[in-house]
């Protein structure tokens, strides 16, 4: 089962996904990002995420709206090559900073 974790440090807010980012994480992911104050930038660490489905993409869009909806409000780090390709096809580079 995939896990979602949240950390807050002097560097900011980070949400990490450990496992596949799929529909089954919807409730957990939502309750996790709601710990972040609205309109605050967030980093999403996908370094332990091998796969994302369309529901996972939708959850990232909802997080983006929660974080203020501006370009760069959400930074995605650690994505593998397959995830980067999915983000490229979905034009997520227009909405998110992908490192």
């Amino acid at each position: 089962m995939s896990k979602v974790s949240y950390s807050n440090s002097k560097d900011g807010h980070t949400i990490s996904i450990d496992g596949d980012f799929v529909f089954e994480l919807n409730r957990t992911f939502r309750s996790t990002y709601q710990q972040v104050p609205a309109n605050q930038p967030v980093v999403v660490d996908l370094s332990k995420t091998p796969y994302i489905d369309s529901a996972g993409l939708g959850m990232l869009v909802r997080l983006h709206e929660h974080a203020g909806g501006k370009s760069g409000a959400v930074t995605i780090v650690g994505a593998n090559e397959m995830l980067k390709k999915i983000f490229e096809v979905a034009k997520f580079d227009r909405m998110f900073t992908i490192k």
Side-chain angles (χ1 to χ4, degrees):
M1 182 71 181
S2 299
K3 294 183 346 184
V4 180
S5 60
Y6 167 71
S7 64
N8 182 19
S9 69
K10 63 179 168 88
D11 296 328
H13 307 279
T14 302
I15 297 172
S16 301
I17 310 296
D18 186 350
D20 292 340
F21 195 3
V22 294
F23 177 77
E24 288 77 15
L25 290 182
N26 189 27
R27 184 179 305 232
T28 304
F29 186 75
R30 185 175 354 134
S31 65
T32 301
Y33 78 66
Q34 288 175 340
Q35 296 177 56
V36 178
N39 301 312
Q40 293 290 309
V42 181
V43 173
V44 178
D45 182 355
L46 300 179
S47 60
K48 296 181 180 176
T49 306
Y51 174 77
I52 189 169
D53 68 4
S54 60
L57 295 174
M59 287 183 258
L60 287 173
V61 170
R62 286 193 300 276
L63 170 62
H64 180 261
E65 292 166 356
H66 178 80
K70 297 177 184 167
S71 180
V74 176
T75 300
I76 298 172
V77 299
N80 65 35
E81 291 305 313
M82 183 183 79
L83 297 181
K84 287 179 182 177
K85 186 68 173 171
I86 291 169
F87 296 148
E88 180 183 326
V89 170
K91 307 279 189 227
F92 267 38
D93 57 334
R94 295 179 183 175
M95 190 179 310
F96 302 93
T97 301
I98 301 172
K99 293 184 179 180

